[in-house]
Amino acid sequence: MNNEFDVALMIDLLGVFFFAVSGSLLAARKGFDLVGSLLLASLAGLGGGVARDLIIDTVPAAFSNPGYLIPPVLATGLVYFLFSGVERVSKLLVVFDAGGLGLFCITGTVKALEFGLHPVAGILLGVTTAVGGGLLRDVVANEVPQLFDPRDIYALPAMLGAVLTTLLVTNGWFNVVTGAVIATLVFTLRVLAWRYSWRAPLAVLGWKRSGTA
């Protein structure tokens, strides 16, 4: 039981770190100072998990475990010392964001199911966990949230990951290996969608995209 808990905690912290790096990279691109970078990293890394825990009516892990504060600090320092230019920030931001997306859609779904939520609710909470931090990051930085960008696919890979996680958990097939496969699949789909400009249909049939090129 303790080993399972430790694995779940490490996966969650790794997801926090990936999203936190994306927050610091966006802060660098926007010209924020070091404090602003740390705050944006914290919002991106912790926002989805806090939303998840509030919805299932438990004390947010970010508030009960000081270890959750370490990844945003590490991410801020990493960006500060290692990324002196912003030429590749957009590409790196997508990569780290995709990593967090792949991990959080799993941890959010698993935690929801552990708390006894219905599988459909577990899927929705997994998606909420995955996209919540990125949504807060983009809104605070005055960016069009990737979640609502018609030029990109963002939530669909997370939804696929949450559905697969639910199927595996409910059938007793979920473990570290199958979880890693799901995370890799979500990460790959997210990066490919960005790389090749895959797009979901618009809200109304027959509408054409304008001003999104």
Side-chain angles (χ1 to χ4, degrees):
M1 181 66 179
N2 287 335
N3 288 337
E4 292 179 1
F5 176 78
D6 290 341
V7 170
L9 178 62
M10 292 306 297
I11 293 174
D12 214 25
L13 291 176
L14 187 60
V16 172
F17 176 75
F18 276 117
F19 266 127
V21 171
S22 76
S24 286
L25 287 170
L26 181 57
R29 193 175 74 186
K30 302 288 285 189
F32 291 1
D33 62 19
L34 190 60
V35 175
S37 178
L38 177 59
L39 290 176
L40 203 59
S42 299
L43 276 175
L46 303 175
V50 169
R52 170 198 67 203
D53 293 341
L54 290 176
I55 290 173
I56 60 179
D57 196 25
T58 187
V59 177
F63 299 154
S64 60
N65 185 347
Y68 277 84
L69 302 178
I70 296 175
V73 174
L74 290 178
T76 303
L78 179 70
V79 172
Y80 179 77
F81 286 109
L82 299 184
F83 298 103
S84 57
V86 295
E87 313 85 32
R88 300 187 307 146
V89 162
S90 294
K91 182 182 296 185
L92 288 170
L93 200 159
V94 171
V95 169
F96 279 98
D97 183 81
L101 199 74
L103 293 170
F104 269 9
C105 70
I106 296 172
T107 59
T109 303
V110 169
K111 190 164 187 177
L113 296 175
E114 287 177 347
F115 272 73
L117 270 65
H118 187 275
V120 174
I123 292 170
L124 293 175
L125 191 56
V127 175
T128 300
T129 306
V131 305
L135 178 62
L136 287 173
R137 174 198 65 211
D138 295 341
V139 169
V140 171
N142 198 28
E143 292 274 301
V144 175
Q146 294 183 44
L147 179 61
F148 303 128
D149 190 345
R151 298 169 298 179
D152 205 355
I153 292 178
Y154 191 72
L156 288 180
M159 185 173 295
L160 175 62
V163 169
L164 293 176
T165 299
T166 299
L167 290 174
L168 292 177
V169 170
T170 54
N171 286 282
W173 299 332
F174 182 80
N175 52 50
V176 174
V177 175
T178 56
V181 171
I182 293 174
T184 302
L185 176 62
V186 173
F187 172 85
T188 303
L189 287 176
R190 171 70 188 107
V191 173
L192 288 176
W194 171 78
R195 175 66 179 82
Y196 295 105
S197 300
W198 293 347
R199 301 174 177 181
L202 293 177
V204 177
L205 181 66
W207 277 12
K208 297 184 181 298
R209 287 179 171 85
S210 59
T212 60

